[in-house]
Amino acid sequence: MSQPTQTRVTSELSTSALQAQDKSHHFHPFTDLHSYAQSGGRIITQAEHVYIHDSEGRKILDGMSGLWCCNLGYSQPSIVSAVTRQLQTLPYYNSFFNCSNNAAVALANYLAEVTPKSFNYFFFTSSGSEANDTNIRFVHRYYDLLGKPEKKQIISRKNAYHGSTIAGASLGGMDMMHEQFIGLPYVHHIQQPYWYKEGGDSDADTFGVVAARTLEQKIDELGEKTVAAFIAEPIQGAGGVIVPPKTYWPEIQRICDERDILFISDEVITGFGRTGAWFGCESYSTRPDLITFAKGITGGYQPLGGVAVSDRVADVLTAGGGEFAHGYTYSGHPAACAAGIATLDILINEQVIDYVGADIGPYFGKCCRELAEHPIVGEVRTIGMLAAFELVRDKNARERLAPDGQAGLFCREAAIGNRLMVRAVGDTVISAPPLICNRQEVDLLIERLVRALDATAIEYGVSV
Ligand code: PXG
């Protein structure tokens, strides 16, 4: 092997040198690999509290909590020391072959306290995608053990996001992803509850019921005897922060109650306080049988995901004989679990979830909803610390700006230019700031977002 010629201490490199090395050797997720290889990207070098810094020395307010995960911001020394202590004591051991470790035991017990009452068993993974693969394995195993092996089909929704492994992407309903691989044949997609885009002339509440009933129709079409589960995010995150009409979830729950299917609530984004409750299913009073979690469980400090298993499912899994032939090297990784425990400690000791539910969430929601007055904003959707802004040319006609998707990207770039990180999903600008933001930080977020919206309106010839 030849001696390395380049320095590995990348913090000493200039931005252009870092960009050159990055675009030459690093393939990025969800990125145009051709254009990235030409242009390179933005290098983030450090972060503190609710701010990230780039290699050009710009301090950017993080309106996306990293990627919906750094819910407690970037300065939590107790998580760092919990992980450090764990790495010094037991950096790794597996959870296979009848072994366990203190951190995984403690986290599973802790989760039994904070999840809805009927959830008492937890399976750990390293990501939300792996957790949804695990869900499919649990669901199929559950019905096999019940002597109903023909129940294999899973119903999901168009424009859902459930991860990027083959199973996660199959469960997801993103057209762009499905165009690039062959989805699992037993996964089917129904209408999403996206009133603003698909509601037509009907009012939101009527549309909510119509969208929910497509689940009932799909169960009938496939045959209830063959359907195993329905999976959904309480609020579609990557799909554009789609807060459903208030009629939607009660109707879905009614259908799940009446039919012999399991309901999986994918709470990778909505779990651990994002909506102002511990879990999104509590915000909407639904009763899932399985909950997918990841992201917020460690505030992004370690990769950790998993599945919360309700008594209904766990009783069958533990009663049946035979090995459950599924698991990952890093299931129950001690350092990741230590980060999870320290994160739950902060959520509880600092009453973060009450703060989101009763204080900063309503304040953030109010400030965001005021932007519905902006000439380029057709609709604002919020819940807890989640918000979506639909960019339009004509509010009354819900007419989009042309070409589709460009204004969202323009607005995102304008926001970054104003030192605010947000995300664009087509022409929907979305924000999911850290749960620990104070009111001044929310005000700053709104101020910078308004500047970006103004710039977008000017660029697209909508008078401000
Ligand atoms: N389910 C949901 C609801 C998610 O939001 C996953 C599963 C997959 O988790 P992992 O840890 O495997 O990434 C997610 C992840 C975006 C974006 O563009 C959203 C996610 C991931 C990457 C990008 O908004 N959500």
Side-chain angles (χ1 to χ4, degrees), residues 30 64 67-68 126-130 132 161-164 233 237-238 266-269 292 294-295 423 425 430:
F30 286 88
M64 275 314 294
L67 201 46
W68 324 77
S126 304
S127 70
S129 302
E130 289 173 347
N132 278 328
Y161 190 80
H162 296 298
S164 199
E233 308 151 78
D266 184 339
E267 305 254 5
V268 167
I269 285 175
T292 319
K295 296 193 189 271
R423 219 167 102 34
V425 177
I430 57 186

